[in-house]
Amino acid sequence: MLFFEEYETFDATGLADLIAKREISASEALDAALARAHAVNPDLNALTMLREDTARQKAQGQLPDGPLSGVPFLLKDLGGEAVDFPANNGSNLLRDTRYSQNSTLIDRLFASGVNTFGRTTAPEGGVGCATEAAVYGGPTRNPWDLQRTPGGSSGGSGAAVAAGIVPAAHGSDGGGSVRIPASSCGLFGFKPTRARLPDGPFSGEGWAGMAIEGFLTRSVRDTALLLDICEGADLGAPYWAPPLQASFSAAADATGKPLRIAVCETTLTGDPIHADCRTAVQDAAKLLESMGHEVTPACPQAADTVGMMTAWTDIVACGTALWVRKALAKRNRDLRPDDLENVVRSACAHAATISGDAYLEAVEKIHAYGRQMAAFFEDYDVLLTATLAEPPALVGRFSHDRESYLDYRLGPDGVFAYSPFTASFNATGQPAASVPLHWTASGLPVGIHLAGRFGEDEVLMTLCAELERARPWFMSRPPVRFRQDNSGISGETQ
């Protein structure tokens, strides 16, 4: 029998090994996950669209005999199209969307044997660095401090993994949506090279190729295994990523060569960041240097990051207007007052001002940015920065009740000021990762961000695994218990 406390000490790979050796059953693993979910989700509001009965039936012998057979798992409530799991996609307009077939990625994921029992919350349309969609009746909260956000757009997945509900969960990343929750929740998040993972059959590409799916995990080996399970182009893909030399898992086990690492303690445009985030970068640079890497202060200021952010904002606005228009056409009705939140409404209004040639100009802008960054990476193998410019934000700061989409993204207190690093590598298509190496004095996680050359996912995965071996983080901060006392609600470790 797997005890409640024991469940939380295993990553997905370790839990799969227990099940394969019949030391526990898939049903016992699911019972532990559901017990944890019912205990902590009332505080977190991270789960939605639960299908417990479906998962229980599968645990009793209906799961494929794959590398993660029986491991409890959750899908993000955005994308990840699955017949057995309707989705809200973070929006009242898309509430209870049903799918006629699984996406290619979900088919590959399910073939690994994971036992999915629900979805995790996301902001409306994936536009945001916090998860506070109206469709879920309240904000999703960070397990380490319930007054703070777990990030977005894969915020529910980040909260669920950090709180020990599941050891790993599905996410997606169009501007940092895996890496931002990873930093905010003390997890590992890896965004692979553009087109490394399949996007079909529902789409050829997301947000002009900037969006890609991924995972939130507590260990590097779990992310490596999940990427190996899912990587590779699907039928009819518009383009493919450069082939891997071996596999993500082999890269995680490998010993890498000394790398040339650029370290940037500011934003990519030279603006200062929070002292805790700067300390995290400085500490990581010292660690990397002690590991034998050549660490040099350098920032890619010649790359037009501000122009990229503006182009990203226009492209995402057009993508948002597209899904809204298609949803209304499918329902054969006009927009209603409670269908959308303010930021998405404003994004649609902004998209209406963008002509077809202006949209193509925005796509050319991000492609030019990719060339500018590639020139910077001729001299360096990896760029080290913070993942975010600040520790996790307070709940409400990035809610979708703002009237202006442009202010929400580009304003002085907007998403790009808070997250000035991650979207750059969605635009360039380069692999990038958030690694949980630092914690503030008050116990908040602060991730460091590593970006590699286009196509060199394995080099970056090896570096992340070496950092994990040099400074193990898995279970160094156990899953969170919650308490409520006279000082308010806060997170508390076991």
Side-chain angles (χ1 to χ4, degrees):
M1 176 66 186
L2 185 71
F3 293 103
F4 184 72
E5 292 80 6
E6 288 181 304
Y7 168 76
E8 301 159 10
T9 67
F10 292 95
D11 65 355
T13 305
L15 202 58
D17 186 56
L18 287 180
I19 295 169
K21 292 178 179 176
R22 301 185 184 277
E23 294 183 24
I24 63 166
S25 68
S27 293
E28 288 171 333
L30 178 63
D31 287 343
L34 293 174
R36 183 68 171 161
H38 290 303
V40 302
N41 193 59
D43 287 314
L44 297 177
N45 191 32
L47 306 183
T48 186
M49 309 300 272
L50 296 183
R51 295 292 185 269
E52 295 185 19
D53 290 343
T54 298
R56 290 187 192 280
Q57 289 175 4
K58 290 184 176 181
Q60 295 171 1
Q62 299 181 27
L63 292 167
D65 185 19
L68 291 174
S69 186
V71 174
F73 196 78
L74 293 164
L75 300 177
K76 182 178 179 179
D77 193 30
L78 184 67
E81 297 89 352
V83 173
D84 289 339
F85 293 91
N88 300 308
N89 291 284
S91 178
N92 279 319
L93 177 59
L94 297 175
R95 184 189 292 270
D96 200 27
T97 297
R98 306 273 170 161
Y99 300 105
S100 60
Q101 66 181 114
N102 295 342
S103 71
T104 301
L105 182 137
I106 293 301
D107 274 338
R108 293 176 183 177
L109 188 61
F110 285 178
S112 75
V114 292
N115 194 4
T116 303
F117 63 90
R119 290 187 177 270
T120 60
T121 55
E124 187 171 38
V127 181
C129 59
T131 300
E132 304 179 20
V135 71
Y136 308 121
T140 300
R141 298 180 180 273
N142 192 315
W144 300 106
D145 182 346
L146 296 177
Q147 299 178 64
R148 296 182 182 271
T149 179
S153 63
S154 307
S157 289
V161 175
I165 296 173
V166 288
H170 165 253
S172 56
D173 193 315
S177 292
V178 163
R179 291 159 289 153
I180 292 169
S183 179
S184 301
C185 295
L187 303 172
F188 180 59
F190 190 101
K191 183 200 80 68
T193 290
R194 177 186 295 133
R196 180 71 67 199
L197 299 177
D199 213 15
F202 294 93
S203 177
E205 62 176 10
W207 292 353
M210 295 189 293
I212 192 167
E213 300 197 63
F215 306 96
L216 278 298
T217 68
R218 286 192 282 162
S219 68
V220 172
R221 68 176 184 173
D222 277 1
T223 289
L225 176 57
L226 285 160
L227 290 174
D228 283 337
I229 287 165
C230 296
E231 77 95 13
D234 55 316
L235 184 66
Y239 43 78
W240 295 16
L244 297 173
Q245 292 185 5
S247 68
F248 283 101
S249 295
D253 290 337
T255 299
K257 64 181 182 180
L259 302 175
R260 297 170 298 170
I261 299 178
V263 56
C264 181
E265 298 179 9
T266 64
T267 69
L268 301 183
T269 56
D271 295 323
I273 61 177
H274 190 281
D276 279 315
C277 298
R278 185 181 181 192
T279 297
V281 174
Q282 292 170 336
D283 180 56
K286 292 177 183 177
L287 176 59
L288 288 164
E289 194 167 41
S290 74
M291 294 164 60
H293 299 291
E294 180 185 333
V295 179
T296 306
C299 292
Q301 293 190 26
D304 184 10
T305 299
V306 173
M308 177 280 298
M309 290 177 175
T310 301
W312 188 101
T313 299
D314 288 350
I315 291 167
V316 171
C318 291
T320 300
L322 175 62
W323 71 254
V324 170
R325 178 178 60 78
K326 290 173 70 174
L328 291 173
K330 184 176 181 179
R331 289 155 179 77
N332 194 28
R333 65 173 177 81
D334 294 329
L335 193 66
R336 296 171 181 168
D338 62 347
D339 278 339
L340 302 174
E341 298 176 71
N342 287 345
V343 164
V344 169
R345 283 181 177 273
S346 178
C348 293
H350 178 61
T353 71
I354 301 171
S355 63
D357 61 323
Y359 174 83
L360 291 177
E361 185 177 24
V363 174
E364 286 294 324
K365 190 73 173 178
I366 64 166
H367 290 170
Y369 185 73
R371 296 180 187 275
Q372 294 159 5
M373 289 293 281
F376 176 81
F377 275 83
E378 283 190 317
D379 296 323
Y380 304 100
D381 300 300
V382 170
L383 173 63
L384 163 65
T385 67
T387 306
L388 296 170
E390 304 171 32
L394 291 171
V395 167
R397 178 173 164 188
F398 293 107
S399 69
H400 276 197
D401 60 1
R402 293 196 199 182
E403 295 292 335
S404 170
Y405 165 72
L406 292 180
D407 176 68
Y408 183 82
R409 297 298 322 180
L410 299 171
D413 192 32
V415 172
F416 280 131
Y418 177 69
S419 177
F421 306 104
T422 56
S424 292
F425 302 100
N426 295 90
T428 67
Q430 294 169 247
S434 183
V435 182
L437 290 184
H438 187 76
W439 296 76
T440 69
S442 60
L444 293 176
V446 172
I448 60 102
H449 192 266
L450 300 167
R453 291 174 174 169
F454 189 93
E456 295 189 359
D457 305 56
E458 289 158 296
V459 172
L460 188 61
M461 185 64 77
T462 295
L463 180 61
C464 292
E466 289 182 328
L467 284 170
E468 184 182 40
R469 289 192 286 270
R471 189 179 293 175
W473 60 74
F474 179 55
M475 290 307 298
S476 64
R477 301 268 176 163
V480 181
R481 300 287 188 201
F482 300 123
R483 61 181 170 80
Q484 184 167 9
D485 54 29
N486 292 333
S487 62
I489 302 174
S490 63
E492 182 179 65
T493 60
Q494 294 183 115

